[in-house]
Amino acid sequence: MDNVWERSIPFYNLSIKEITAIFTEYDKNFEILNYTPIYVGCRNSNYKIHTNKGYFLLRVCPLKDISYKKERFISELFYGYINVPKLLFVSENNITQRICLIYEYVNGNSMQEMLIQKGKLEDRIIVEVAESASYIHNCNILNKDEFHDDYPPFLTWYDLFLEKEIVTERIGKEIKERVKTLIADKKRDLYEIDKYISFIHSDFHPANMIIDKNNRIWIVDWEFSGFGHSLGDIGQFFRYENSFNQRQIEMFEKAYNSSSNRVLPSNWYGLSKLRDLVNPLQMLGAKENLPQKYIDLKNIVLNILVFFGY
């Protein structure tokens, strides 16, 4: 799982002085009692901040990153409808010279941690994830300024990444040819995927889901959200398929369809696998040297090939 991936952007270490400056910008009556770095994730730098007014999450964005605008939009759009942490304050001009976000703190554990510890999820979690996905995909976004929604046909995406020399180097020519054969044989399915466009989370996997002490699921990290393939979200959730059984897959379908404006196609699970295949190929083309991440991504590609019998 991606808990073993190296960070693509180094963790940004804050001092107590910097944290105090950010919080007093929000409220001059804050006193910082303690703070703990949260090293989960590959891009943002997160901290659990203990103050005289309770606990908060502080997120430090990468330099020149503008995805915080999406986070602010999502907090306003979804808060109170599905469980998303409330964004309380955006610090745009502070001594770190980075965008810093203050969120309410959700006391819980990531769903990924639960999968690592127990090897599976409870049925109720599958149902709640399906209902949350359905709500997200049903959402009618009127203000599209923050979200890119102009994409080429999905059929063209694979060649875009497969033809990169570094991708061939990292997966090998034999696997590359197997992927190309699969895509050629599944061309009709790729056209089908393009029919399911909606607003999506776009990083919808267990590491971005928190289960709180009341067993509620919170969806976090919306920096990549926008318009895209709803089957992409679903494929990401089921990426490590050994964590799910057939009954849970059927439960997801039933829960999703019961609350969705548009039901899933009968072959939705296979389509979601095809859609998810492009994600590791894209990430394998990165410039950074992240060997553990690339090993896992290669295995994801292999597992999808095996799923389809290629």
Side-chain angles (χ1 to χ4, degrees), residues 1-5 167 170-172 174-176 178-179 182 238-242 273 276-277 279-281 283-284 290-308 310:
M1 288 188 176
D2 55 8
N3 62 301
V4 302
W5 292 4
V167 174
R170 286 169 177 162
I171 66 174
E174 189 262 344
I175 294 175
K176 174 182 175 179
R178 287 164 64 185
V179 172
L182 170 63
F238 285 109
R239 176 175 291 169
Y240 299 98
E241 62 181 38
N242 290 337
K273 287 290 181 185
D276 193 44
L277 177 57
N279 292 321
L281 295 173
M283 289 186 280
L284 281 160
L290 308 171
Q292 189 60 54
K293 178 178 181 179
Y294 299 143
I295 290 171
D296 189 51
L297 292 173
K298 179 179 178 179
N299 286 333
I300 292 170
V301 173
L302 282 169
N303 288 339
I304 294 175
L305 287 170
V306 170
F307 173 82
F308 286 105
Y310 281 74

Side-chain angles (χ1 to χ4, degrees), residues 11-213:
F11 193 88
Y12 186 79
N13 293 297
L14 287 175
S15 67
I16 187 70
K17 178 182 178 181
E18 291 170 319
I19 293 172
T20 300
I22 293 165
F23 270 78
T24 53
E25 184 185 356
Y26 171 44
D27 184 335
K28 296 185 183 302
N29 296 315
F30 266 118
E31 179 184 350
I32 307 301
L33 304 178
N34 198 2
Y35 66 99
T36 306
I38 302 172
Y39 292 111
V40 175
C42 297
R43 297 182 73 255
N44 298 301
S45 301
N46 297 318
Y47 290 83
K48 178 182 178 181
I49 310 295
H50 186 194
T51 77
N52 59 327
K53 297 189 178 187
Y55 289 94
F56 299 85
L57 178 78
L58 175 63
R59 166 164 294 173
V60 184
C61 299
L63 282 172
K64 300 180 180 179
D65 186 82
I66 60 171
S67 62
Y68 75 94
K69 295 180 180 180
K70 294 184 180 182
E71 297 272 359
R72 182 159 52 192
F73 184 88
I74 292 299
S75 180
E76 295 171 354
L77 179 69
F78 286 144
Y79 190 81
Y81 296 95
I82 60 174
N83 292 328
V84 296
K86 188 174 184 179
L87 178 58
L88 303 170
F89 182 70
V90 177
S91 175
E92 300 184 58
N93 298 292
N94 56 69
I95 56 178
T96 71
Q97 297 184 336
R98 298 165 183 256
I99 301 296
C100 297
L101 313 176
I102 299 176
Y103 287 91
E104 63 177 351
Y105 183 76
V106 178
N107 187 17
N109 297 304
S110 81
M111 192 182 295
Q112 180 169 270
E113 290 175 1
M114 180 176 290
L115 275 173
I116 292 170
Q117 292 170 5
K118 299 183 178 181
K120 61 180 181 179
L121 299 172
E122 296 177 18
D123 291 350
R124 61 167 184 81
I125 293 177
I126 302 296
V127 171
E128 189 170 342
V129 169
E131 292 172 344
S132 296
S134 175
Y135 187 90
I136 295 166
H137 300 161
N138 285 346
C139 191
N140 182 22
I141 306 293
L142 298 178
N143 180 9
K144 299 184 179 182
D145 292 344
E146 304 295 346
F147 304 100
H148 179 60
D149 64 347
D150 183 22
Y151 297 98
F154 184 57
L155 179 66
T156 66
W157 292 21
Y158 289 94
D159 284 344
L160 181 65
F161 303 121
L162 272 175
E163 296 309 318
K164 285 189 175 182
E165 184 176 339
I166 191 65
V167 174
T168 303
E169 180 182 322
R170 286 169 177 162
I171 66 174
K173 293 182 179 179
E174 189 262 344
I175 294 175
K176 174 182 175 179
E177 291 306 312
R178 287 164 64 185
V179 172
K180 293 180 75 171
T181 301
L182 170 63
I183 297 312
D185 291 348
K186 299 292 184 180
K187 185 176 294 187
R188 182 177 298 178
D189 288 338
L190 302 187
Y191 287 118
E192 183 75 7
I193 291 170
D194 263 337
K195 296 177 182 178
Y196 292 84
I197 300 293
S198 69
F199 188 76
I200 61 173
H201 180 279
S202 201
D203 206 10
F204 197 73
H205 55 91
N208 287 333
M209 301 176 190
I210 297 173
I211 302 175
D212 70 14
K213 59 183 180 180

Side-chain angles (χ1 to χ4, degrees), residues 259-271:
S259 56
S260 178
N261 293 336
R262 185 179 190 183
V263 300
L264 295 169
S266 60
N267 58 339
W268 66 271
Y269 191 76
L271 292 178

